[in-house]
Amino acid sequence: MYHRNIFDTVKLRVTKLDHNLYDLIWPNVKKLPSEPSLRLALEEDFPLGIMVPDLYAYKVFEEFLNPIIKEYNYIDVNHDFSLRKGVQFFQEGIDEIDLHLDPLGTLVVTGKLECSRNIKDFDLPKSLALSELEIVERIITNILLNAKTARALYPNASEDEIRENGSGDYYTMNEVLEQPSEAKVILASSGLLIPLWNIPESDRLHGSHWPYGRGVFVNNSHNLAIYVNVLDHIRIITCTDAQSSAGNVGLIYTRLSRVMQVIQENLDFVFDEKLGCLSSRPTFLGCGLHFSLTLKCPNLLKEPDKLRSLCTARGLTYNKHTNAAEVFKISNRVTVGVTELQCFEDFTTAVSNILQLEKDMTMSNSLHIAALFLSIFKKRKSASYEINKL
């Protein structure tokens, strides 16, 4: 996709904060850790192998980045980005979506939704001074720990319950990284733990002040976490609650959206008219939503190449990094040029089609087996009739 002249054009450029091309492609060219879990986490967190060190890079290295962003979002590289629509989580007058993709709980194993945002007039956490990290952390935590956020998370709770229980707890990153760590146990057991990259050379990702000025908010139900100043200023992750409700994507979308609406009332985010909301990870541009479902579809997995093509045709990423033979992960790719609501609708429509195909294949197999049994039964009945005749 790239020509030598593009590389030659951008290779000597530096951003306003003195970051160069190597700072962008570092996750792709660094020596990968030998531990399989770290390698997998790196691939999932940075699927393009690119980490944007500061938001000026989207302009300084646009000849390099734009074709990658377009290809990932299925945009013709010869066409310009369309103007980004404003933020829209719900249709007007609606603040809840009820959509369960797998009511019987047989096909969806886990469900997860993530969203990233960065506050206007602040650099990315990597480049913030100590005092700025403190300011951003204080601004965000004041919003998350107030009564309005609690009402958004628990709309059915009484005012007395809101006053008594609040919205959740905030843990500093030191509390998360210490050994042993109560916070880390809560996050890991709830499926809310993200790669923290507390490894050698982590300053390339986090800057020189890591882990100071960072932390994570966890709601009382332990089904939503909001990381503060970890790569992006705000990184929200929420999971479906139980295996029987693992396919209830409407629930996690509504939960995240309500919290985002409260945050948006208090903060302005960095926004580009073509790329939408900007992030340190190019795969979180635009609406910044990333859905991820683990599915159990044994019939479709009998032909993994066809399944991969099926996912690609529907704008999904297929990932088989799991030891379970009948389980795989899918996630959305298109985030640029769509609203949050459109991203949700496109993803759930695509997943519904795949799950219906698995059900149809299961039904076809069941009918085939039933036909075999019927055939055997008829043969036995016929044989018994012939014997009786004798």
Side-chain angles (χ1 to χ4, degrees):
M1 179 171 62
Y2 285 100
H3 299 291
R4 177 75 189 187
N5 64 325
I6 294 180
F7 174 76
D8 290 337
T9 300
V10 302
K11 67 179 181 181
L12 298 179
R13 291 181 184 175
V14 293
T15 69
K16 181 179 177 180
L17 300 181
D18 204 30
H19 291 120
N20 58 30
L21 182 62
Y22 182 78
D23 292 320
L24 272 75
I25 63 175
W26 174 77
N28 201 31
V29 299
K30 75 178 292 292
K31 185 178 180 180
L32 291 173
S34 57
E35 187 178 338
S37 61
L38 281 175
R39 294 172 67 97
L40 176 58
L42 187 67
E43 183 179 331
E44 289 188 348
D45 226 16
F46 303 98
L48 295 177
I50 296 172
M51 193 281 293
V52 176
D54 63 60
L55 300 181
Y56 304 105
Y58 284 109
K59 292 295 184 184
V60 175
F61 299 100
E62 62 181 345
E63 296 97 331
F64 171 75
L65 288 172
N66 284 355
I68 297 174
I69 296 167
K70 288 178 180 179
E71 183 180 42
Y72 190 80
N73 285 272
Y74 299 110
I75 299 172
D76 190 328
V77 294
N78 297 313
H79 293 168
D80 197 3
F81 294 103
S82 59
L83 292 179
R84 170 70 163 91
K85 302 173 183 177
V87 173
Q88 183 191 12
F89 281 99
F90 297 109
Q91 296 285 3
E92 188 174 350
I94 298 174
D95 66 349
E96 181 177 1
I97 292 179
D98 182 17
L99 178 60
H100 201 317
L101 295 174
D102 183 29
L104 297 179
T106 57
L107 300 178
V108 181
V109 181
T110 61
K112 186 181 294 185
L113 172 58
E114 187 176 341
C115 178
S116 290
R117 290 289 191 268
N118 287 290
I119 304 173
K120 190 177 180 181
D121 299 326
F122 284 95
D123 292 320
L124 290 177
K126 174 180 177 176
S127 301
L128 292 179
L130 287 173
S131 60
E132 292 173 315
L133 285 166
E134 292 174 346
I135 292 171
V136 171
E137 183 181 33
R138 184 167 59 252
I139 289 172
I140 296 172
T141 53
N142 283 343
I143 296 170
L144 299 180
L145 296 173
N146 70 23
K148 197 162 188 178
T149 298
R151 293 188 196 99
L153 286 168
Y154 304 104
N156 298 322
S158 67
E159 287 301 310
D160 288 339
E161 290 172 323
I162 294 294
R163 281 192 295 270
E164 182 179 350
N165 302 321
S167 57
D169 298 301
Y170 183 75
Y171 302 92
T172 67
M173 192 51 61
N174 282 323
E175 290 178 295
V176 176
L177 295 175
E178 66 184 5
Q179 297 293 341
S181 169
E182 175 191 355
K184 196 168 186 178
V185 170
I186 292 172
L187 292 166
S189 61
S190 305
L192 300 171
L193 186 64
I194 64 172
L196 296 172
W197 307 115
N198 189 45
I199 57 176
E201 290 193 89
S202 63
D203 59 321
R204 282 198 171 274
L205 291 170
H206 298 302
S208 58
H209 303 304
W210 172 264
Y212 186 81
R214 279 87 169 181
V216 58
F217 163 85
V218 184
N219 72 339
N220 293 326
S221 302
H222 296 169
N223 53 26
L224 177 139
I226 302 179
Y227 289 83
V228 178
N229 284 335
V230 181
L231 299 186
D232 293 301
H233 297 143
I234 296 173
R235 184 171 175 179
I236 306 176
I237 182 169
T238 182
C239 298
T240 47
D241 297 328
Q243 186 161 344
S244 60
S245 299
N248 197 340
V249 290
L251 176 65
I252 56 174
Y253 179 78
T254 297
R255 182 185 301 143
L256 183 145
S257 302
R258 285 175 171 169
V259 171
M260 278 301 306
Q261 286 181 323
V262 174
I263 297 174
Q264 287 171 177
E265 290 175 4
N266 295 273
L267 297 174
D268 291 325
F269 298 122
V270 183
F271 189 88
D272 182 88
E273 64 177 5
K274 293 184 179 180
L275 298 178
C277 295
L278 299 185
S279 169
S280 63
R281 293 173 293 167
T283 49
F284 275 78
L285 294 171
C287 66
L289 296 185
H290 185 268
F291 295 89
S292 177
L293 296 181
T294 303
L295 305 182
K296 185 176 182 180
C297 299
N299 293 306
L300 289 173
L301 273 173
K302 290 176 182 177
E303 298 187 66
D305 290 338
K306 289 185 178 180
L307 176 57
R308 183 179 288 103
S309 298
L310 181 67
C311 290
T312 301
R314 283 162 173 75
L316 304 174
T317 296
Y318 166 89
N319 194 327
K320 188 62 181 74
H321 292 301
T322 173
N323 294 326
E326 297 179 347
V327 170
F328 63 98
K329 286 184 179 181
I330 57 171
S331 56
N332 62 300
R333 282 181 58 159
V334 178
T335 58
V336 174
V338 296
T339 65
E340 292 75 11
L341 180 59
Q342 186 179 346
C343 179
F344 170 78
E345 292 174 342
D346 290 346
F347 176 74
T348 52
T349 298
V351 175
S352 296
N353 291 339
I354 289 175
L355 295 181
Q356 186 59 52
L357 182 58
E358 173 68 20
K359 293 174 185 177
D360 291 344
M361 293 176 72
T362 301
M363 182 62 69
S364 297
N365 290 339
S366 299
L367 291 173
H368 177 65
I369 293 170
L372 288 175
F373 275 115
L374 183 60
S375 176
I376 293 170
F377 177 76
K378 285 182 176 179
K379 288 179 180 178
R380 287 179 176 174
K381 186 176 181 180
S382 176
S384 299
Y385 176 74
E386 292 297 330
I387 291 173
N388 291 333
K389 283 178 63 178
L390 295 175

